[in-house]
Amino acid sequence: MARKERLREYHRKRDLRRSGEPAGGRRRDGAPAFVVQRHEASTSHFDLRLEIDGVLVSWSVPKGPATDPAQRRLAVRTEDHPLDYLEFEGRIREGEYGGGTVVVWDVGSFDNLTEEPAERALERGHLRVRLHGHRLCGAYSLVRTRMGADRGQEQWLLVKKNDEGADRRREPARTQPESVLTGRRNDEL
């Protein structure tokens, strides 16, 4: 599917002139990137985004990513976002879709550990990646548990694998609220 078509839902939900969000159009070279954003909107949550096929495939993770392999985190698939979102921090105007504040909680590159292209793994409902971020390192699996019916959202589980990046004591989603880019917290925007 063409990048423009993959971003259709993103553009349909937003008035980018009012929201202040990126419009898209950026292309990247190099290893695929990921970003985790802390989003204070109608609810507090984290947005996990993986660069796949020219867009950021996105999930809303209410409790944030875990570093403990025993913790499985709900991840609700959302619309694809443009690559410009890799560095987006700011305030989305009240009344706009997703209104609230966004900070880059973690960012880096990732490797696809699945034995097939990431696009195909997403279709099948099981993607395994190795993250190389500031806060998140090592292997994670995303496993679809429920398909979206009509306009319903797909539910996935985000699971940390037991490897060198695992830490059962650390809870960065709770203890490290600041941006890895600017050091600012959501309440400072």
Side-chain angles (χ1 to χ4, degrees), residues 98-142:
T101 58
V102 177
V103 297
V104 174
W105 184 80
D106 199 13
V107 66
S109 64
F110 75 92
D111 303 314
N112 176 12
L113 300 179
T114 314
E115 293 185 13
E116 59 191 346
E119 299 87 352
R120 184 74 179 123
L122 282 172
E123 290 172 14
R124 291 181 185 261
H126 187 244
L127 176 64
R128 191 162 180 238
V129 297
R130 178 175 309 284
L131 302 179
H132 307 282
H134 298 270
R135 293 189 171 132
L136 302 177
C137 297
Y140 282 81
S141 285
L142 280 155

Side-chain angles (χ1 to χ4, degrees), residues 5-46:
E5 188 169 316
R6 297 208 37 202
L7 294 175
R8 182 171 290 149
E9 185 72 6
Y10 172 84
H11 288 285
R12 186 187 68 74
K13 289 183 173 183
R14 294 163 174 80
D15 180 347
L16 298 176
R17 293 167 299 182
R18 292 182 43 87
S19 75
E21 293 172 275
R26 175 178 166 187
R27 294 196 184 274
R28 291 186 67 255
D29 292 324
F34 83 94
V35 65
V36 177
Q37 289 160 315
R38 187 161 199 227
H39 191 173
E40 295 287 337
S42 57
T43 62
S44 270
H45 63 279
F46 292 75

Side-chain angles (χ1 to χ4, degrees), residues 163-181:
D163 61 12
E164 71 285 347
D167 188 338
R168 286 168 177 74
R169 297 163 300 173
R170 208 169 128 239
E171 295 183 40
R174 195 172 54 79
T175 62
Q176 296 177 290
E178 67 280 346
S179 165
V180 296
L181 297 182

